[in-house]
PDB file of all heavy atoms in Angstrom:
ATOM      1  N   PRO A   1      47.041 -31.634  15.473  1.00 94.00           N
ATOM      2  CA  PRO A   1      46.228 -32.231  16.620  1.00 94.00           C
ATOM      3  C   PRO A   1      47.103 -32.265  17.946  1.00 94.00           C
ATOM      4  O   PRO A   1      48.246 -32.677  17.890  1.00 94.00           O
ATOM      5  CB  PRO A   1      45.880 -33.526  16.145  1.00 94.00           C
ATOM      6  CG  PRO A   1      45.796 -33.444  14.644  1.00 94.00           C
ATOM      7  CD  PRO A   1      47.055 -32.597  14.329  1.00 94.00           C
ATOM      8  N   LYS A   2      46.473 -31.908  18.959  1.00 96.00           N
ATOM      9  CA  LYS A   2      47.083 -31.972  20.325  1.00 96.00           C
ATOM     10  C   LYS A   2      45.926 -32.537  21.261  1.00 96.00           C
ATOM     11  O   LYS A   2      44.751 -32.439  20.981  1.00 96.00           O
ATOM     12  CB  LYS A   2      47.446 -30.599  20.798  1.00 96.00           C
ATOM     13  CG  LYS A   2      48.431 -29.877  19.961  1.00 96.00           C
ATOM     14  CD  LYS A   2      49.786 -30.467  19.974  1.00 96.00           C
ATOM     15  CE  LYS A   2      50.833 -29.676  19.100  1.00 96.00           C
ATOM     16  NZ  LYS A   2      52.233 -30.219  19.198  1.00 96.00           N
ATOM     17  N   VAL A   3      46.352 -33.102  22.364  1.00 97.00           N
ATOM     18  CA  VAL A   3      45.383 -33.341  23.462  1.00 97.00           C
ATOM     19  C   VAL A   3      45.053 -31.913  24.178  1.00 97.00           C
ATOM     20  O   VAL A   3      45.965 -31.246  24.602  1.00 97.00           O
ATOM     21  CB  VAL A   3      46.089 -34.206  24.567  1.00 97.00           C
ATOM     22  CG1 VAL A   3      45.086 -34.396  25.807  1.00 97.00           C
ATOM     23  CG2 VAL A   3      46.360 -35.528  23.936  1.00 97.00           C
ATOM     24  N   VAL A   4      43.738 -31.635  24.041  1.00 98.00           N
ATOM     25  CA  VAL A   4      43.333 -30.277  24.597  1.00 98.00           C
ATOM     26  C   VAL A   4      42.320 -30.416  25.768  1.00 98.00           C
ATOM     27  O   VAL A   4      41.395 -31.092  25.694  1.00 98.00           O
ATOM     28  CB  VAL A   4      42.594 -29.509  23.435  1.00 98.00           C
ATOM     29  CG1 VAL A   4      42.239 -28.061  23.944  1.00 98.00           C
ATOM     30  CG2 VAL A   4      43.443 -29.469  22.186  1.00 98.00           C
ATOM     31  N   SER A   5      42.777 -29.806  26.843  1.00 98.00           N
ATOM     32  CA  SER A   5      41.951 -29.907  28.117  1.00 98.00           C
ATOM     33  C   SER A   5      41.291 -28.512  28.297  1.00 98.00           C
ATOM     34  O   SER A   5      41.916 -27.475  28.308  1.00 98.00           O
ATOM     35  CB  SER A   5      42.852 -30.121  29.379  1.00 98.00           C
ATOM     36  OG  SER A   5      42.008 -30.237  30.508  1.00 98.00           O
ATOM     37  N   ILE A   6      39.942 -28.594  28.311  1.00 98.00           N
ATOM     38  CA  ILE A   6      39.039 -27.415  28.088  1.00 98.00           C
ATOM     39  C   ILE A   6      38.251 -27.067  29.291  1.00 98.00           C
ATOM     40  O   ILE A   6      37.508 -27.922  29.938  1.00 98.00           O
ATOM     41  CB  ILE A   6      38.177 -27.669  26.878  1.00 98.00           C
ATOM     42  CG1 ILE A   6      38.961 -27.831  25.586  1.00 98.00           C
ATOM     43  CG2 ILE A   6      37.106 -26.511  26.760  1.00 98.00           C
ATOM     44  CD1 ILE A   6      38.095 -28.107  24.393  1.00 98.00           C
ATOM     45  N   HIS A   7      38.319 -25.769  29.587  1.00 98.00           N
ATOM     46  CA  HIS A   7      37.437 -25.154  30.677  1.00 98.00           C
ATOM     47  C   HIS A   7      36.258 -24.557  29.855  1.00 98.00           C
ATOM     48  O   HIS A   7      36.358 -23.805  28.966  1.00 98.00           O
ATOM     49  CB  HIS A   7      38.368 -23.882  31.194  1.00 98.00           C
ATOM     50  CG  HIS A   7      37.737 -23.151  32.311  1.00 98.00           C
ATOM     51  ND1 HIS A   7      38.116 -23.152  33.599  1.00 98.00           N
ATOM     52  CD2 HIS A   7      36.600 -22.293  32.298  1.00 98.00           C
ATOM     53  CE1 HIS A   7      37.470 -22.294  34.318  1.00 98.00           C
ATOM     54  NE2 HIS A   7      36.457 -21.793  33.578  1.00 98.00           N
ATOM     55  N   SER A   8      35.080 -24.871  30.437  1.00 98.00           N
ATOM     56  CA  SER A   8      33.804 -24.415  29.719  1.00 98.00           C
ATOM     57  C   SER A   8      32.789 -23.914  30.568  1.00 98.00           C
ATOM     58  O   SER A   8      31.624 -23.833  30.239  1.00 98.00           O
ATOM     59  CB  SER A   8      33.256 -25.637  28.975  1.00 98.00           C
ATOM     60  OG  SER A   8      32.934 -26.665  29.857  1.00 98.00           O
ATOM     61  N   ARG A   9      33.142 -23.355  31.785  1.00 98.00           N
ATOM     62  CA  ARG A   9      32.109 -22.993  32.826  1.00 98.00           C
ATOM     63  C   ARG A   9      31.241 -21.771  32.313  1.00 98.00           C
ATOM     64  O   ARG A   9      31.656 -20.709  31.840  1.00 98.00           O
ATOM     65  CB  ARG A   9      32.774 -22.497  34.092  1.00 98.00           C
ATOM     66  CG  ARG A   9      31.819 -22.101  35.182  1.00 98.00           C
ATOM     67  CD  ARG A   9      32.623 -21.872  36.510  1.00 98.00           C
ATOM     68  NE  ARG A   9      33.708 -20.950  36.397  1.00 98.00           N
ATOM     69  CZ  ARG A   9      34.382 -20.352  37.410  1.00 98.00           C
ATOM     70  NH1 ARG A   9      34.156 -20.959  38.651  1.00 98.00           N
ATOM     71  NH2 ARG A   9      35.220 -19.465  37.235  1.00 98.00           N
ATOM     72  N   GLY A  10      29.971 -22.112  32.186  1.00 98.00           N
ATOM     73  CA  GLY A  10      28.949 -21.080  31.744  1.00 98.00           C
ATOM     74  C   GLY A  10      29.075 -20.800  30.295  1.00 98.00           C
ATOM     75  O   GLY A  10      28.374 -19.950  29.752  1.00 98.00           O
ATOM     76  N   ALA A  11      29.912 -21.576  29.591  1.00 98.00           N
ATOM     77  CA  ALA A  11      30.047 -21.257  28.127  1.00 98.00           C
ATOM     78  C   ALA A  11      30.107 -22.577  27.294  1.00 98.00           C
ATOM     79  O   ALA A  11      30.671 -22.647  26.283  1.00 98.00           O
ATOM     80  CB  ALA A  11      31.367 -20.555  27.912  1.00 98.00           C
ATOM     81  N   GLU A  12      29.379 -23.527  27.715  1.00 98.00           N
ATOM     82  CA  GLU A  12      29.431 -24.856  27.171  1.00 98.00           C
ATOM     83  C   GLU A  12      29.061 -24.907  25.680  1.00 98.00           C
ATOM     84  O   GLU A  12      29.670 -25.521  24.848  1.00 98.00           O
ATOM     85  CB  GLU A  12      28.589 -25.844  27.953  1.00 98.00           C
ATOM     86  CG  GLU A  12      29.040 -26.050  29.308  1.00 98.00           C
ATOM     87  CD  GLU A  12      28.600 -25.035  30.371  1.00 98.00           C
ATOM     88  OE1 GLU A  12      27.748 -24.144  29.998  1.00 98.00           O
ATOM     89  OE2 GLU A  12      29.042 -25.066  31.500  1.00 98.00           O
ATOM     90  N   THR A  13      27.986 -24.134  25.384  1.00 98.00           N
ATOM     91  CA  THR A  13      27.554 -24.134  23.938  1.00 98.00           C
ATOM     92  C   THR A  13      28.539 -23.459  23.080  1.00 98.00           C
ATOM     93  O   THR A  13      28.865 -23.945  21.978  1.00 98.00           O
ATOM     94  CB  THR A  13      26.179 -23.367  23.868  1.00 98.00           C
ATOM     95  OG1 THR A  13      25.169 -24.135  24.619  1.00 98.00           O
ATOM     96  CG2 THR A  13      25.688 -23.262  22.478  1.00 98.00           C
ATOM     97  N   ALA A  14      29.137 -22.342  23.505  1.00 98.00           N
ATOM     98  CA  ALA A  14      30.088 -21.670  22.776  1.00 98.00           C
ATOM     99  C   ALA A  14      31.343 -22.499  22.492  1.00 98.00           C
ATOM    100  O   ALA A  14      31.934 -22.494  21.435  1.00 98.00           O
ATOM    101  CB  ALA A  14      30.438 -20.323  23.341  1.00 98.00           C
ATOM    102  N   VAL A  15      31.687 -23.211  23.593  1.00 98.00           N
ATOM    103  CA  VAL A  15      32.934 -24.125  23.466  1.00 98.00           C
ATOM    104  C   VAL A  15      32.629 -25.186  22.427  1.00 98.00           C
ATOM    105  O   VAL A  15      33.517 -25.426  21.436  1.00 98.00           O
ATOM    106  CB  VAL A  15      33.212 -24.754  24.802  1.00 98.00           C
ATOM    107  CG1 VAL A  15      34.148 -25.984  24.630  1.00 98.00           C
ATOM    108  CG2 VAL A  15      33.941 -23.707  25.722  1.00 98.00           C
ATOM    109  N   LEU A  16      31.548 -25.855  22.470  1.00 98.00           N
ATOM    110  CA  LEU A  16      31.134 -26.978  21.557  1.00 98.00           C
ATOM    111  C   LEU A  16      31.062 -26.433  20.188  1.00 98.00           C
ATOM    112  O   LEU A  16      31.607 -27.042  19.242  1.00 98.00           O
ATOM    113  CB  LEU A  16      29.971 -27.659  22.031  1.00 98.00           C
ATOM    114  CG  LEU A  16      29.605 -28.866  21.123  1.00 98.00           C
ATOM    115  CD1 LEU A  16      30.781 -29.965  21.161  1.00 98.00           C
ATOM    116  CD2 LEU A  16      28.338 -29.640  21.676  1.00 98.00           C
ATOM    117  N   ASP A  17      30.358 -25.249  20.038  1.00 98.00           N
ATOM    118  CA  ASP A  17      30.281 -24.649  18.684  1.00 98.00           C
ATOM    119  C   ASP A  17      31.661 -24.351  18.007  1.00 98.00           C
ATOM    120  O   ASP A  17      31.836 -24.573  16.834  1.00 98.00           O
ATOM    121  CB  ASP A  17      29.512 -23.343  18.694  1.00 98.00           C
ATOM    122  CG  ASP A  17      27.881 -23.656  19.002  1.00 98.00           C
ATOM    123  OD1 ASP A  17      27.563 -24.761  18.810  1.00 98.00           O
ATOM    124  OD2 ASP A  17      27.249 -22.678  19.239  1.00 98.00           O
ATOM    125  N   THR A  18      32.610 -23.871  18.867  1.00 98.00           N
ATOM    126  CA  THR A  18      33.849 -23.574  18.351  1.00 98.00           C
ATOM    127  C   THR A  18      34.584 -24.825  17.958  1.00 98.00           C
ATOM    128  O   THR A  18      35.247 -24.934  16.918  1.00 98.00           O
ATOM    129  CB  THR A  18      34.658 -22.706  19.395  1.00 98.00           C
ATOM    130  OG1 THR A  18      33.941 -21.611  19.743  1.00 98.00           O
ATOM    131  CG2 THR A  18      36.078 -22.415  18.907  1.00 98.00           C
ATOM    132  N   LEU A  19      34.541 -25.789  18.810  1.00 98.00           N
ATOM    133  CA  LEU A  19      35.175 -27.181  18.379  1.00 98.00           C
ATOM    134  C   LEU A  19      34.662 -27.630  17.136  1.00 98.00           C
ATOM    135  O   LEU A  19      35.330 -28.247  16.245  1.00 98.00           O
ATOM    136  CB  LEU A  19      35.005 -28.152  19.575  1.00 98.00           C
ATOM    137  CG  LEU A  19      35.620 -27.837  20.862  1.00 98.00           C
ATOM    138  CD1 LEU A  19      35.298 -28.880  21.942  1.00 98.00           C
ATOM    139  CD2 LEU A  19      37.100 -27.622  20.775  1.00 98.00           C
ATOM    140  N   LEU A  20      33.276 -27.540  16.867  1.00 97.00           N
ATOM    141  CA  LEU A  20      32.673 -28.015  15.706  1.00 97.00           C
ATOM    142  C   LEU A  20      33.133 -27.243  14.533  1.00 97.00           C
ATOM    143  O   LEU A  20      33.363 -27.758  13.398  1.00 97.00           O
ATOM    144  CB  LEU A  20      31.185 -28.075  15.788  1.00 97.00           C
ATOM    145  CG  LEU A  20      30.559 -29.119  16.800  1.00 97.00           C
ATOM    146  CD1 LEU A  20      29.091 -28.776  17.028  1.00 97.00           C
ATOM    147  CD2 LEU A  20      30.836 -30.477  16.263  1.00 97.00           C
ATOM    148  N   GLU A  21      33.123 -25.888  14.727  1.00 98.00           N
ATOM    149  CA  GLU A  21      33.549 -24.932  13.621  1.00 98.00           C
ATOM    150  C   GLU A  21      34.913 -25.237  13.031  1.00 98.00           C
ATOM    151  O   GLU A  21      35.136 -25.251  11.890  1.00 98.00           O
ATOM    152  CB  GLU A  21      33.440 -23.432  14.089  1.00 98.00           C
ATOM    153  CG  GLU A  21      33.815 -22.470  13.099  1.00 98.00           C
ATOM    154  CD  GLU A  21      33.808 -21.100  13.716  1.00 98.00           C
ATOM    155  OE1 GLU A  21      33.351 -20.824  14.747  1.00 98.00           O
ATOM    156  OE2 GLU A  21      34.295 -20.100  12.936  1.00 98.00           O
ATOM    157  N   TYR A  22      35.854 -25.525  13.978  1.00 97.00           N
ATOM    158  CA  TYR A  22      37.244 -25.767  13.523  1.00 97.00           C
ATOM    159  C   TYR A  22      37.541 -27.193  13.440  1.00 97.00           C
ATOM    160  O   TYR A  22      38.717 -27.562  13.325  1.00 97.00           O
ATOM    161  CB  TYR A  22      38.213 -25.081  14.569  1.00 97.00           C
ATOM    162  CG  TYR A  22      38.199 -23.561  14.373  1.00 97.00           C
ATOM    163  CD1 TYR A  22      37.260 -22.755  15.207  1.00 97.00           C
ATOM    164  CD2 TYR A  22      38.908 -22.996  13.433  1.00 97.00           C
ATOM    165  CE1 TYR A  22      37.207 -21.398  15.124  1.00 97.00           C
ATOM    166  CE2 TYR A  22      38.924 -21.565  13.337  1.00 97.00           C
ATOM    167  CZ  TYR A  22      38.090 -20.802  14.130  1.00 97.00           C
ATOM    168  OH  TYR A  22      38.018 -19.445  13.937  1.00 97.00           O
ATOM    169  N   ARG A  23      36.546 -28.148  13.688  1.00 96.00           N
ATOM    170  CA  ARG A  23      36.734 -29.560  13.401  1.00 96.00           C
ATOM    171  C   ARG A  23      37.778 -30.045  14.383  1.00 96.00           C
ATOM    172  O   ARG A  23      38.627 -30.943  14.005  1.00 96.00           O
ATOM    173  CB  ARG A  23      37.080 -29.835  11.979  1.00 96.00           C
ATOM    174  CG  ARG A  23      35.895 -29.440  11.060  1.00 96.00           C
ATOM    175  CD  ARG A  23      36.264 -29.835   9.605  1.00 96.00           C
ATOM    176  NE  ARG A  23      35.192 -29.477   8.696  1.00 96.00           N
ATOM    177  CZ  ARG A  23      35.132 -29.718   7.341  1.00 96.00           C
ATOM    178  NH1 ARG A  23      36.141 -30.304   6.859  1.00 96.00           N
ATOM    179  NH2 ARG A  23      34.179 -29.210   6.689  1.00 96.00           N
ATOM    180  N   VAL A  24      37.799 -29.584  15.629  1.00 97.00           N
ATOM    181  CA  VAL A  24      38.693 -30.144  16.666  1.00 97.00           C
ATOM    182  C   VAL A  24      38.038 -31.454  17.204  1.00 97.00           C
ATOM    183  O   VAL A  24      36.934 -31.459  17.598  1.00 97.00           O
ATOM    184  CB  VAL A  24      38.822 -29.127  17.793  1.00 97.00           C
ATOM    185  CG1 VAL A  24      39.723 -29.719  18.859  1.00 97.00           C
ATOM    186  CG2 VAL A  24      39.436 -27.817  17.200  1.00 97.00           C
ATOM    187  N   ARG A  25      38.880 -32.481  17.187  1.00 95.00           N
ATOM    188  CA  ARG A  25      38.399 -33.791  17.482  1.00 95.00           C
ATOM    189  C   ARG A  25      38.993 -34.325  18.876  1.00 95.00           C
ATOM    190  O   ARG A  25      40.089 -33.919  19.187  1.00 95.00           O
ATOM    191  CB  ARG A  25      38.710 -34.797  16.460  1.00 95.00           C
ATOM    192  CG  ARG A  25      38.107 -34.410  15.087  1.00 95.00           C
ATOM    193  CD  ARG A  25      38.699 -35.287  13.915  1.00 95.00           C
ATOM    194  NE  ARG A  25      38.612 -36.768  14.134  1.00 95.00           N
ATOM    195  CZ  ARG A  25      39.587 -37.578  14.330  1.00 95.00           C
ATOM    196  NH1 ARG A  25      40.816 -37.107  14.360  1.00 95.00           N
ATOM    197  NH2 ARG A  25      39.413 -38.811  14.554  1.00 95.00           N
ATOM    198  N   HIS A  26      38.255 -35.126  19.584  1.00 97.00           N
ATOM    199  CA  HIS A  26      38.657 -35.795  20.778  1.00 97.00           C
ATOM    200  C   HIS A  26      39.329 -34.817  21.852  1.00 97.00           C
ATOM    201  O   HIS A  26      40.378 -35.106  22.391  1.00 97.00           O
ATOM    202  CB  HIS A  26      39.698 -36.817  20.365  1.00 97.00           C
ATOM    203  CG  HIS A  26      39.247 -37.742  19.267  1.00 97.00           C
ATOM    204  ND1 HIS A  26      38.090 -38.456  19.248  1.00 97.00           N
ATOM    205  CD2 HIS A  26      39.756 -37.936  18.064  1.00 97.00           C
ATOM    206  CE1 HIS A  26      37.902 -39.120  18.169  1.00 97.00           C
ATOM    207  NE2 HIS A  26      38.912 -38.832  17.348  1.00 97.00           N
ATOM    208  N   ALA A  27      38.619 -33.679  22.119  1.00 98.00           N
ATOM    209  CA  ALA A  27      39.100 -32.886  23.197  1.00 98.00           C
ATOM    210  C   ALA A  27      38.539 -33.482  24.579  1.00 98.00           C
ATOM    211  O   ALA A  27      37.687 -34.252  24.574  1.00 98.00           O
ATOM    212  CB  ALA A  27      38.548 -31.472  22.939  1.00 98.00           C
ATOM    213  N   MET A  28      39.218 -32.966  25.550  1.00 98.00           N
ATOM    214  CA  MET A  28      38.696 -33.259  26.931  1.00 98.00           C
ATOM    215  C   MET A  28      38.086 -32.109  27.611  1.00 98.00           C
ATOM    216  O   MET A  28      38.609 -31.044  27.771  1.00 98.00           O
ATOM    217  CB  MET A  28      39.956 -33.695  27.748  1.00 98.00           C
ATOM    218  CG  MET A  28      40.791 -34.739  27.355  1.00 98.00           C
ATOM    219  SD  MET A  28      42.150 -35.214  28.611  1.00 98.00           S
ATOM    220  CE  MET A  28      43.136 -33.745  28.702  1.00 98.00           C
ATOM    221  N   PHE A  29      36.855 -32.356  27.941  1.00 98.00           N
ATOM    222  CA  PHE A  29      36.083 -31.382  28.762  1.00 98.00           C
ATOM    223  C   PHE A  29      36.412 -31.623  30.198  1.00 98.00           C
ATOM    224  O   PHE A  29      36.102 -32.548  30.875  1.00 98.00           O
ATOM    225  CB  PHE A  29      34.578 -31.496  28.544  1.00 98.00           C
ATOM    226  CG  PHE A  29      33.995 -30.937  27.277  1.00 98.00           C
ATOM    227  CD1 PHE A  29      34.227 -31.528  26.120  1.00 98.00           C
ATOM    228  CD2 PHE A  29      33.332 -29.736  27.424  1.00 98.00           C
ATOM    229  CE1 PHE A  29      33.743 -30.960  24.918  1.00 98.00           C
ATOM    230  CE2 PHE A  29      32.838 -29.095  26.269  1.00 98.00           C
ATOM    231  CZ  PHE A  29      33.040 -29.762  24.987  1.00 98.00           C
ATOM    232  N   HIS A  30      37.215 -30.610  30.770  1.00 98.00           N
ATOM    233  CA  HIS A  30      37.599 -30.722  32.264  1.00 98.00           C
ATOM    234  C   HIS A  30      36.537 -30.176  33.151  1.00 98.00           C
ATOM    235  O   HIS A  30      35.918 -29.100  32.888  1.00 98.00           O
ATOM    236  CB  HIS A  30      38.877 -29.852  32.275  1.00 98.00           C
ATOM    237  CG  HIS A  30      39.037 -29.038  33.525  1.00 98.00           C
ATOM    238  ND1 HIS A  30      39.210 -29.648  34.765  1.00 98.00           N
ATOM    239  CD2 HIS A  30      38.962 -27.719  33.767  1.00 98.00           C
ATOM    240  CE1 HIS A  30      39.231 -28.637  35.665  1.00 98.00           C
ATOM    241  NE2 HIS A  30      39.112 -27.448  35.167  1.00 98.00           N
ATOM    242  N   TRP A  31      36.181 -31.026  34.125  1.00 98.00           N
ATOM    243  CA  TRP A  31      35.176 -30.634  35.205  1.00 98.00           C
ATOM    244  C   TRP A  31      33.944 -30.046  34.555  1.00 98.00           C
ATOM    245  O   TRP A  31      33.560 -28.984  34.860  1.00 98.00           O
ATOM    246  CB  TRP A  31      35.799 -29.684  36.164  1.00 98.00           C
ATOM    247  CG  TRP A  31      35.102 -29.603  37.444  1.00 98.00           C
ATOM    248  CD1 TRP A  31      33.766 -30.006  37.807  1.00 98.00           C
ATOM    249  CD2 TRP A  31      35.568 -28.958  38.666  1.00 98.00           C
ATOM    250  NE1 TRP A  31      33.470 -29.780  39.047  1.00 98.00           N
ATOM    251  CE2 TRP A  31      34.472 -29.140  39.693  1.00 98.00           C
ATOM    252  CE3 TRP A  31      36.717 -28.375  39.103  1.00 98.00           C
ATOM    253  CZ2 TRP A  31      34.639 -28.679  40.996  1.00 98.00           C
ATOM    254  CZ3 TRP A  31      36.885 -27.955  40.305  1.00 98.00           C
ATOM    255  CH2 TRP A  31      35.895 -28.102  41.251  1.00 98.00           C
ATOM    256  N   TYR A  32      33.351 -30.804  33.673  1.00 98.00           N
ATOM    257  CA  TYR A  32      32.105 -30.354  32.944  1.00 98.00           C
ATOM    258  C   TYR A  32      31.047 -30.055  34.004  1.00 98.00           C
ATOM    259  O   TYR A  32      30.740 -30.924  34.841  1.00 98.00           O
ATOM    260  CB  TYR A  32      31.635 -31.324  31.914  1.00 98.00           C
ATOM    261  CG  TYR A  32      30.420 -30.848  31.100  1.00 98.00           C
ATOM    262  CD1 TYR A  32      30.627 -30.014  30.040  1.00 98.00           C
ATOM    263  CD2 TYR A  32      29.173 -31.183  31.502  1.00 98.00           C
ATOM    264  CE1 TYR A  32      29.524 -29.565  29.314  1.00 98.00           C
ATOM    265  CE2 TYR A  32      28.074 -30.659  30.833  1.00 98.00           C
ATOM    266  CZ  TYR A  32      28.284 -29.826  29.745  1.00 98.00           C
ATOM    267  OH  TYR A  32      27.188 -29.349  29.092  1.00 98.00           O
ATOM    268  N   SER A  33      30.297 -28.986  33.920  1.00 98.00           N
ATOM    269  CA  SER A  33      29.220 -28.639  34.844  1.00 98.00           C
ATOM    270  C   SER A  33      28.063 -28.045  34.225  1.00 98.00           C
ATOM    271  O   SER A  33      27.146 -27.469  34.833  1.00 98.00           O
ATOM    272  CB  SER A  33      29.782 -27.711  35.948  1.00 98.00           C
ATOM    273  OG  SER A  33      30.175 -26.465  35.346  1.00 98.00           O
ATOM    274  N   GLY A  34      27.929 -28.151  32.920  1.00 98.00           N
ATOM    275  CA  GLY A  34      26.905 -27.521  32.149  1.00 98.00           C
ATOM    276  C   GLY A  34      25.602 -28.424  31.906  1.00 98.00           C
ATOM    277  O   GLY A  34      25.466 -29.437  32.431  1.00 98.00           O
ATOM    278  N   PRO A  35      24.806 -27.922  30.906  1.00 98.00           N
ATOM    279  CA  PRO A  35      23.574 -28.716  30.630  1.00 98.00           C
ATOM    280  C   PRO A  35      23.891 -30.154  30.127  1.00 98.00           C
ATOM    281  O   PRO A  35      24.798 -30.452  29.392  1.00 98.00           O
ATOM    282  CB  PRO A  35      22.929 -27.798  29.537  1.00 98.00           C
ATOM    283  CG  PRO A  35      23.530 -26.563  29.607  1.00 98.00           C
ATOM    284  CD  PRO A  35      24.969 -26.802  30.062  1.00 98.00           C
ATOM    285  N   THR A  36      22.876 -31.048  30.466  1.00 98.00           N
ATOM    286  CA  THR A  36      23.080 -32.467  29.993  1.00 98.00           C
ATOM    287  C   THR A  36      22.946 -32.525  28.539  1.00 98.00           C
ATOM    288  O   THR A  36      23.550 -33.381  27.901  1.00 98.00           O
ATOM    289  CB  THR A  36      22.070 -33.315  30.655  1.00 98.00           C
ATOM    290  OG1 THR A  36      20.763 -32.768  30.456  1.00 98.00           O
ATOM    291  CG2 THR A  36      22.287 -33.395  32.148  1.00 98.00           C
ATOM    292  N   GLY A  37      22.100 -31.624  27.833  1.00 98.00           N
ATOM    293  CA  GLY A  37      21.961 -31.668  26.347  1.00 98.00           C
ATOM    294  C   GLY A  37      23.278 -31.464  25.686  1.00 98.00           C
ATOM    295  O   GLY A  37      23.706 -32.114  24.726  1.00 98.00           O
ATOM    296  N   ILE A  38      24.077 -30.463  26.187  1.00 98.00           N
ATOM    297  CA  ILE A  38      25.389 -30.183  25.577  1.00 98.00           C
ATOM    298  C   ILE A  38      26.342 -31.302  25.771  1.00 98.00           C
ATOM    299  O   ILE A  38      27.139 -31.549  24.901  1.00 98.00           O
ATOM    300  CB  ILE A  38      25.860 -28.836  26.086  1.00 98.00           C
ATOM    301  CG1 ILE A  38      24.869 -27.695  25.801  1.00 98.00           C
ATOM    302  CG2 ILE A  38      27.255 -28.439  25.388  1.00 98.00           C
ATOM    303  CD1 ILE A  38      24.563 -27.538  24.277  1.00 98.00           C
ATOM    304  N   LEU A  39      26.251 -31.857  27.010  1.00 98.00           N
ATOM    305  CA  LEU A  39      27.156 -32.996  27.364  1.00 98.00           C
ATOM    306  C   LEU A  39      26.836 -34.092  26.281  1.00 98.00           C
ATOM    307  O   LEU A  39      27.787 -34.707  25.681  1.00 98.00           O
ATOM    308  CB  LEU A  39      26.898 -33.459  28.689  1.00 98.00           C
ATOM    309  CG  LEU A  39      27.761 -34.690  29.203  1.00 98.00           C
ATOM    310  CD1 LEU A  39      27.826 -34.524  30.731  1.00 98.00           C
ATOM    311  CD2 LEU A  39      27.198 -35.957  28.882  1.00 98.00           C
ATOM    312  N   ASP A  40      25.613 -34.402  26.048  1.00 98.00           N
ATOM    313  CA  ASP A  40      25.175 -35.466  25.088  1.00 98.00           C
ATOM    314  C   ASP A  40      25.720 -35.149  23.702  1.00 98.00           C
ATOM    315  O   ASP A  40      26.152 -36.093  22.926  1.00 98.00           O
ATOM    316  CB  ASP A  40      23.669 -35.612  25.133  1.00 98.00           C
ATOM    317  CG  ASP A  40      23.150 -36.177  26.496  1.00 98.00           C
ATOM    318  OD1 ASP A  40      23.919 -36.728  27.220  1.00 98.00           O
ATOM    319  OD2 ASP A  40      21.907 -36.034  26.608  1.00 98.00           O
ATOM    320  N   GLU A  41      25.583 -33.871  23.274  1.00 98.00           N
ATOM    321  CA  GLU A  41      26.169 -33.508  22.009  1.00 98.00           C
ATOM    322  C   GLU A  41      27.666 -33.667  21.888  1.00 98.00           C
ATOM    323  O   GLU A  41      28.173 -34.203  20.861  1.00 98.00           O
ATOM    324  CB  GLU A  41      25.799 -31.970  21.655  1.00 98.00           C
ATOM    325  CG  GLU A  41      24.406 -31.749  21.349  1.00 98.00           C
ATOM    326  CD  GLU A  41      24.132 -30.329  20.939  1.00 98.00           C
ATOM    327  OE1 GLU A  41      25.018 -29.797  20.190  1.00 98.00           O
ATOM    328  OE2 GLU A  41      23.176 -29.682  21.474  1.00 98.00           O
TER     329      GLU A  41
END
């Protein structure tokens, strides 16, 4: 585990899916600008 700062522009679903697939916990979404539904997830 590391503190991970994540860029997700235009790729929010793919980012979250990857974090879930690899069970990465407590990541930081940097300057999130995507859909509210993905933010809520």
Side-chain angles (χ1 to χ4, degrees):
K2 305 285 181 180
V3 175
V4 185
S5 187
I6 295 176
H7 180 115
S8 60
R9 184 171 56 175
E12 295 83 10
T13 298
V15 164
L16 186 56
D17 286 347
T18 303
L19 297 178
L20 292 170
E21 178 184 354
Y22 288 93
R23 299 183 182 180
V24 177
R25 301 166 58 246
H26 311 304
M28 298 188 299
F29 279 76
H30 140 71
W31 197 346
Y32 183 87
S33 60
T36 56
I38 301 301
L39 184 152
D40 293 343
E41 287 185 44

